[in-house]
Amino acid sequence: QVQVVESGGGLVQPGGSLRLSCVVSGSIFAINAMGWYRQAPGKERELVASVASGGSTNYVDSVKGRFTISRDNAKNTVYLQMNSLKPEDTAVYYCNVRVLKYGSAGSYTTYWGQGTQVTVSS
């Protein structure tokens, strides 16, 4: 089995910062892309940031210059540093990973974390 566990969410004031972590464990041979999504009530889930296995990153326009995604391959961990937080950043944040499992014969599988709540007060 594969486990994806996020942490680091919480309640902060506008302008504050949070650092989210996502740790992947289990029967993992390799991890390809890793990313963070978020979903606010009544809205569709959106991709916030992603990082490829080679280190290249992408961000949704609304967080550019404020959020930074990074990964530690030795720890199978991806981070999302969130600075200058705004009320509109309030959402449940989900970690997403593409994993090559042992015995998968080269086929990658997508896994989701349970989500962590980020609330930015108005």
Side-chain angles (χ1 to χ4, degrees):
Q1 66 265 26
V2 174
Q3 296 83 42
V4 181
V5 180
E6 306 105 326
S7 62
L11 174 64
V12 297
Q13 295 288 323
S17 297
L18 286 173
R19 185 175 181 85
L20 306 183
S21 299
C22 172
V23 180
V24 185
S25 62
S27 301
I28 299 170
F29 183 77
I31 300 176
N32 194 330
M34 309 179 78
W36 289 94
Y37 290 72
R38 68 185 180 187
Q39 187 167 23
K43 294 188 175 182
E44 296 180 349
R45 187 173 298 186
E46 67 172 347
L47 177 63
V48 178
S50 64
V51 55
S53 60
S56 62
T57 59
N58 287 285
Y59 300 90
V60 67
D61 287 344
S62 61
V63 308
K64 288 181 178 178
R66 300 189 297 119
F67 291 11
T68 302
I69 188 170
S70 61
R71 64 190 290 169
D72 186 335
N73 291 331
K75 297 180 178 180
N76 288 338
T77 301
V78 61
Y79 305 94
L80 185 67
Q81 178 67 48
M82 304 185 293
N83 299 326
S84 302
L85 282 163
K86 304 174 180 180
E88 50 263 44
D89 295 318
T90 297
V92 178
Y93 284 70
Y94 298 91
C95 182
N96 175 271
V97 297
R98 258 166 65 86
V99 174
L100 183 65
K101 296 172 62 179
Y102 284 108
S104 66
S107 180
Y108 282 85
T109 302
T110 298
Y111 291 91
W112 293 90
Q114 81 286 355
T116 184
Q117 177 71 48
V118 172
T119 302
V120 185
S121 63
S122 60

